[in-house]
Amino acid sequence: MTPTSAPGSDAVLKRGWQAGFTLIELLVVVALIAIATATLSLALRDPAESQLRREADRLTALLEAARAESRASGLAVRWRPTGNEPGEQFRFEGLPRSIQLPSRWLGDPVAVSIENARVLVLGPEPLIPPQRLTLQLGRQRVLLASDGLSPFEIVESGAL
């Protein structure tokens, strides 16, 4: 071993070791920061927003199921919010007795307002009038709409 290549000598530091981070180390740190940020953002979500989104997704599926049943059976079917009455919070009217759809929200009661009407008309015609309804829970709101031909869908959501 020569004195210039001995461990700890200045020559080894100048040739083989460079100060700084490797690309792998930087990528690992960036990945850890991304995971921590994603976890934090999920933890900080508004529970009312999550519940309202679940309720809106569920209601769109229920409305489309009732609409399909209305067309198949030829019966006029309507959906009506009933408020916070004991036992039910909304109602599907006109469905055959053999079809039982839910009549309660999954969580806290949701406030509903239907634009220009008291009920949603779901059929039996394939083309129904354009309809819009707003679901509200706390300061969060979601707008559901159908142009009469396409299915009901969430068109807008957010805080008041």
Side-chain angles (χ1 to χ4, degrees):
M1 233 187 231
T2 62
T4 58
S5 64
S9 71
D10 288 339
V12 170
L13 289 176
K14 288 179 185 172
R15 275 189 252 143
W17 296 86
Q18 298 204 358
F21 300 104
T22 65
L23 182 58
I24 298 292
E25 290 170 329
L26 289 174
L27 287 174
V28 168
V29 169
V30 168
L32 289 174
I33 290 172
I35 291 170
T37 303
T39 303
L40 186 62
S41 69
L42 289 175
L44 294 178
R45 284 190 74 157
D46 184 3
E49 178 185 0
S50 298
Q51 179 192 347
L52 189 59
R53 185 64 184 212
R54 258 191 332 273
E55 298 287 10
D57 288 338
R58 178 175 174 248
L59 183 59
T60 57
L62 290 172
L63 292 172
E64 287 310 308
R67 193 171 169 191
E69 184 59 37
S70 175
R71 284 193 303 255
S73 66
L75 298 172
V77 175
R78 290 180 280 303
W79 181 85
R80 174 189 314 273
T82 58
N84 295 326
E85 296 175 16
E88 70 177 15
Q89 295 162 337
F90 53 85
R91 175 183 314 150
F92 289 92
E93 299 171 342
L95 286 173
R97 293 196 185 273
S98 61
I99 305 295
Q100 295 294 319
L101 292 178
S103 61
R104 299 190 57 76
W105 302 110
L106 293 173
D108 295 333
V110 174
V112 178
S113 64
I114 301 172
E115 193 173 284
N116 302 324
R118 290 184 155 176
V119 298
L120 291 178
V121 176
L122 302 174
E125 296 81 20
L127 183 62
I128 59 175
Q131 300 174 92
R132 298 165 59 100
L133 69 146
T134 303
L135 305 180
Q136 184 174 341
L137 185 62
R139 295 184 44 81
Q140 298 296 323
R141 69 176 185 83
V142 172
L143 178 66
L144 304 175
S146 171
D147 63 3
L149 187 57
S150 62
F152 282 90
E153 61 184 356
I154 298 171
V155 292
E156 182 182 326
S157 64
L160 296 177

